Amino acid sequence: EPEVTQTPSHQVTQMGQEVILRCVPISNHLYFYWYRQILGQKVEFLVSFYNNEISEKSEIFDDQFSVERPDGSNFTLKIRSTKLEDSAMYFCASSESRAKGIGTNEKLFFGSGTQLSVL
Amino acid sequence: AQKITQTQPGMFVQEKEAVTLDCTYDTSDPSYGLFWYKQPSSGEMIFLIYQGSYDQQNATEGRYSLNFQKARKSANLVISASQLGDSAMYFCAMRSLGGGRRALTFGSGTRLQVQP
């Protein structure tokens, strides 16, 4: 079965540094997402991306965050200047969604996550 | 705003028995989807089952079934014939099916432990 691939699986960085988390969504999927899960807490939505632009973002997704689809396969999340509170598991996800709106049965496929530790 | 509530932080079940994991939700959206995901200790999020608010019948996927009671705003997951490999964290989630919003709202999860 096709899967969403995330690299690296673990990332350690110093506070204030930039990090880029990488994802390869499933090839025929149209919607891409980033979620995060702080240890012991809920999974939280960050951003969704469709047709090469952000379609929805949460309050967490501030100016320190950006997403990009630099080529036909990769989808990246950049954190410009990491803070201690950015330490979390970051999940990439994708969905097919040929149809939009009411009636869409959308199965979201998640990657295995990148554990980001900010020191 | 949407809200998912999972009131059972932890559950135990004997192998081969059935278990129900509770999920209640709150939304003002007329049309929405409900999801269950499994997160084993390895960390990945595995899709289990989906129920649309417009679906007349409860969803089933193998040993998983969703007990959807729209009037009560509940979407409980039933796992039949539990296996040791079912031990994991289980998350209920929902999203609107209209207005272009695609974000999933997750509950806080239930940790299920299957005992031999």
Side-chain angles (χ1 to χ4, degrees), chain A residues 61-77:
Chain A
F61 195 86
D62 61 21
D63 292 344
Q64 292 298 313
F65 292 88
S66 63
V67 290
E68 192 178 31
R69 188 156 164 81
D71 53 44
S73 59
N74 291 287
F75 179 52
T76 61
L77 174 69

Side-chain angles (χ1 to χ4, degrees), chain A residues 77-92:
Chain A
L77 174 69
K78 181 193 291 185
I79 310 174
R80 289 192 183 81
S81 178
T82 50
K83 305 171 193 157
L84 296 176
E85 54 265 36
D86 293 328
S87 295
M89 178 75 93
Y90 287 81
F91 291 102
C92 175

Side-chain angles (χ1 to χ4, degrees), chain B residues 37-110:
Chain B
Y37 283 87
K38 173 184 178 181
Q39 187 179 41
S41 56
S42 51
E44 70 269 33
M45 296 286 286
I46 302 168
F47 168 83
L48 295 178
I49 197 166
Y50 167 84
Q51 176 87 44
S53 61
Y54 47 85
D55 290 338
Q56 296 298 312
Q57 296 197 345
N58 287 344
T60 60
E61 291 273 0
R63 292 187 299 111
Y64 305 107
S65 60
L66 204 151
N67 183 1
F68 179 49
Q69 298 188 47
K70 193 171 182 177
R72 294 185 176 184
K73 294 190 174 180
S74 73
N76 299 338
L77 176 70
V78 180
I79 306 174
S80 63
S82 297
Q83 302 172 356
L84 294 177
D86 294 333
S87 294
M89 197 76 170
Y90 289 80
F91 291 98
C92 181
M94 74 179 301
R95 62 160 283 224
S96 170
L97 294 182
R101 288 169 291 146
R102 312 196 73 82
L104 281 177
T105 300
F106 282 83
S108 54
T110 296

